[in-house]
Amino acid sequence: MSDLEIGLGCNFPLKSGGHSRVHLPLERKNMKKTKLGALLAASAVALSLVAVAPTASAATCAKKTTVTMLGTIKIEIQDQFLAAVKAYNASQKCYTLKSIPGDRKLTFLQNVTPMYAAKNAPTIMYTLQEIPDMANKVLDWKGTKLVKLVSPGLLAAANVGGKQVGVPSTAEAFGLLYNKKVIAAAGIDITKIKTRTDLEAAFKTLQSKGKKAVHFSAIWWSLGAHFTNIFHTNVGKTKEARLQGLDDLVAGKANLANNGTFKNWVATMDLLKKYNAGKVNLTDTEYDASIANLAGGDYGFMFQGNWTEPNLITASKGDDFGIMPLPISNNAKDYGNDSIPVGVPGYFMIDAQQSSKWQQKGAIDFLTWLYTSPAGQKRVAGPVEEGGMSFIPVYKGFKIEPKTYMAKEISKFASAGKTLDWMNSYYPAGLQEEVGKVSMQQYFTDKISSADLAKAIEGAWKGSAKTWRGAAK
C-alpha cells in the first residue's frame, strides 16, 4: 500500500460540471504520513464504537445572524446541499445560512480576493489547493467538536504551520468508471483488465457488440488535475520518490520525454483518445454530455470520479456504475496498475477577519449540525434519490453509511491498500489551469506532439515554490 498524505485533490464549487471545478494550490506543512486504508477502516470501525455527537444547537441569541457560504461544496449535489441548508435554518432560531454564488469562470482566489477587498468576505469557504493562501485569513479549528471526530491524517492537508485551518468534507476517488449493465452484456470481466493491452481488448469487444468504448473528457480540469495526476502518482512507489519527481521538475532537471512512466502515461492517453467516442468539447458543457453518454447505455467506460455518481444515478434511474483502476503499462505488476487515486477533495474554512463572532459561531454550528446530527448525517451520506449527497463519511460516529455500488467499491480498494496519492494537490497555483487548458487540450486535439507536451509540463513546473517541502509561497 502506498504511503498517502490524505486531504488531496481539489474542487471549487462554482464551476459547472465535474469534480474539480477550479483547481487550487495547496501547501503541505507538518503533514503526517498515513495509510488511507487504515484511516478509512478506522472511520468504519468508529461507526459502531463512537456515539454520534449531540446535535449542534445554537446558543441563546438576541437576534438572528446571517452566515454566508461561497458556493455549495460541489455543483453535482447543489440541490441536495441547499436542501440541507434549508433544513438547518428551520432547525434553530439563531442563524440563517445563505449560499452565495460566484463566477464559475474564475478560480477560487479570483472570486474571494475581491470579496475581501470589498470587506464582504463569505464566512464559510471551501477549497483545497489554495489553503496556504487563506491560512492567515481564517479561524483555527483546534478544539472544536468536528476536529475531535476526524483522524489526524485526514486533517493534515489543512494544517498550516500548526494551525488547523480547515476540516474535511468527504473522501473521493477517480479512475475508469464503467456502466455495469453494458460491461456485463458485452461479456467483459472487469477484474481481468490489468494492463493497457487488456483495456484495449475490452474496448474492441464493446465495439464488436455495437457499443461505444469510452468517453474521454477534454475538460481542462479533468485533464489538468486528474489525468496528469495519473502520471505524477505513478512516478515512484514511495511518497518521497513521488515528491522527488516534483523537485526535479521545479529544478528543471526532469527529462519527461525520456521518462518511462511518462511514455506509458502518454501511451495510455493515446489509447483513450483513439477509442474516445465522445464529441470533443473543450468547455465545461462537455461534462453533462459525458454523464448522458455513460448513463444512456451506449458507452462502456468513462475517465472520471465518483463525484459523478449522483448525476449518473439520476440520469439512469439506477445504481449501475462502478470504478476501476486505469492501467498505464503492459506489466500487470507495475506499481499503480491495480489501484485508484483516493483522497479528500476539499476543506471548510471560516473567515477570521471580517466575520463577526456570531457569524463564526453560526458557521461552526452549521457544519457541526451537518456532520454530527442525525438529520445532517442523512443529508451528507444518504442516497441522492432520497435527497442525500451520497458522501463517504470521514467523521467518526456516523450512523448513515453510503449505499451506492461505487462508494462500496472505493471502500474495498481502500481496505485492500489499493490507493494512490492525489499528487495534484501539490500543484502550484494556476498550474493545472495552464497545463489543462493549454498543453493538455492541445495534445488532446492533436495540435502538439508528445515531445511538445513534455516540454510544456516541464516549463509549467520550473521555478515553482516547493510547498511540499515547507517552502513559502
Side-chain angles (χ1 to χ4, degrees):
M1 180 178 183
S2 66
D3 286 330
L4 180 60
E5 293 174 346
I6 307 298
L8 313 173
C10 104
N11 79 340
F12 176 54
L14 301 175
K15 195 76 172 176
S16 64
H19 163 60
S20 300
R21 234 70 63 225
V22 174
H23 303 272
L24 314 168
L26 176 59
E27 179 176 13
R28 291 294 188 279
K29 293 185 179 179
N30 303 323
M31 292 185 66
K32 298 179 180 179
K33 289 187 177 181
T34 65
K35 299 287 189 180
L36 179 61
L39 286 172
L40 293 186
S43 296
V45 172
L47 292 175
S48 59
L49 297 181
V50 182
V52 175
T55 300
S57 57
T60 303
C61 49
K63 62 179 182 178
K64 219 165 192 181
T65 301
T66 297
V67 179
T68 57
M69 174 172 168
L70 182 60
T72 56
I73 306 181
K74 294 154 55 69
I75 197 70
E76 299 93 335
I77 47 83
Q78 176 174 285
D79 292 344
Q80 290 84 354
F81 178 78
L82 292 177
V85 168
K86 184 177 180 180
Y88 168 74
N89 288 341
S91 73
Q92 45 73 44
K93 299 181 180 180
C94 284
Y95 309 111
T96 297
L97 191 84
K98 181 181 179 182
S99 172
I100 56 176
D103 189 336
R104 294 177 181 174
K105 296 179 181 178
L106 301 179
T107 66
F108 171 80
L109 280 184
Q110 288 171 338
N111 270 279
V112 81
T113 300
M115 298 176 80
Y116 269 90
K119 305 296 182 184
N120 191 32
T123 305
I124 303 175
M125 295 161 283
Y126 179 77
T127 189
L128 178 65
Q129 289 179 330
E130 286 177 347
I131 284 175
D133 299 272
M134 302 300 296
N136 65 343
K137 296 181 175 66
V138 298
L139 288 182
D140 191 338
W141 278 88
K142 278 183 184 174
T144 63
K145 183 182 295 184
L146 285 183
V147 162
K148 295 174 183 177
L149 294 175
V150 183
S151 300
L154 292 173
L155 294 169
N159 190 291
V160 179
K163 179 179 179 181
Q164 192 60 49
V165 302
V167 291
S169 56
T170 182
E172 290 185 337
F174 58 89
L176 268 184
L177 308 190
Y178 59 92
N179 186 311
K180 291 191 296 179
K181 289 183 178 179
V182 173
I183 295 300
I188 296 171
D189 184 349
I190 290 296
T191 65
K192 299 291 179 63
I193 302 176
K194 301 180 182 297
T195 66
R196 190 168 58 241
T197 298
D198 295 338
L199 183 59
E200 182 168 23
F203 288 168
K204 289 180 177 178
T205 297
L206 285 166
Q207 289 181 333
S208 72
K209 302 292 184 179
K211 298 295 183 180
K212 296 178 173 64
V214 63
H215 184 113
F216 185 33
S217 175
I219 299 176
W220 71 267
W221 50 260
S222 182
L223 294 174
H226 306 137
F227 201 78
T228 56
N229 180 78
I230 298 297
F231 162 61
H232 292 294
T233 198
N234 281 288
V235 163
K237 295 180 180 180
T238 66
K239 169 68 75 175
E240 179 55 34
R242 294 186 285 275
L243 293 179
Q244 184 61 50
L246 301 187
D247 290 343
D248 291 344
L249 283 167
V250 169
K253 297 179 180 179
N255 186 346
L256 296 184
N258 292 324
N259 180 288
T261 303
F262 184 83
K263 291 179 179 179
N264 267 321
W265 174 70
V266 171
T268 300
M269 182 161 39
D270 289 342
L271 178 69
L272 294 176
K273 286 172 55 183
K274 177 181 177 181
Y275 287 93
N276 175 41
K279 182 179 179 181
V280 177
N281 179 353
L282 304 184
T283 73
D284 282 351
T285 59
E286 197 264 1
Y287 177 81
D288 293 334
S290 70
I291 295 297
N293 286 342
L294 192 65
D298 288 328
Y299 284 69
F301 295 95
M302 173 173 74
F303 179 77
Q304 268 289 0
N306 73 304
W307 52 86
T308 64
E309 192 173 31
N311 306 124
L312 290 168
I313 290 174
T314 299
S316 67
K317 296 180 172 56
D319 181 16
D320 301 314
F321 308 95
I323 185 169
M324 61 167 282
L326 173 66
I328 69 162
S329 76
N330 281 323
N331 183 346
K333 295 181 180 180
D334 281 351
Y335 177 79
N337 276 348
D338 61 353
S339 303
I340 60 174
V342 182
V344 174
Y347 289 78
F348 297 102
M349 301 177 294
I350 297 176
D351 169 58
Q353 293 186 344
Q354 298 179 14
S355 299
S356 70
K357 292 296 181 184
W358 276 105
Q359 287 175 319
Q360 293 166 359
K361 288 180 180 180
I364 293 174
D365 191 73
F366 166 65
L367 292 170
T368 304
W369 172 88
L370 189 63
Y371 284 97
T372 67
S373 73
Q377 290 185 356
K378 185 177 180 180
R379 299 283 181 178
V380 169
V384 64
E385 57 268 29
E386 295 178 13
M389 303 179 211
S390 198
F391 278 5
I392 297 174
V394 292
Y395 290 88
K396 300 170 187 175
F398 250 79
K399 297 297 184 182
I400 306 294
E401 297 184 56
K403 301 177 181 178
T404 64
Y405 183 80
M406 202 181 299
K408 292 176 182 177
E409 282 196 318
I410 292 169
S411 295
K412 288 179 182 178
F413 277 106
S415 297
K418 301 299 184 181
T419 61
L420 299 169
D421 281 356
W422 280 20
M423 297 301 290
N424 52 302
S425 63
Y426 298 107
Y427 293 2
L431 182 136
Q432 58 196 21
E433 287 89 346
E434 176 184 348
V435 172
K437 288 182 178 179
V438 184
S439 52
M440 287 294 286
Q441 286 191 337
Q442 286 178 334
Y443 187 76
F444 194 105
T445 52
D446 299 320
K447 290 187 170 117
I448 62 173
S449 67
S450 60
D452 294 330
L453 177 62
K455 290 179 182 178
I457 293 175
E458 289 169 2
W461 277 94
K462 189 175 181 179
S464 299
K466 294 193 290 187
T467 55
W468 52 92
R469 302 295 190 190
K473 293 181 64 112

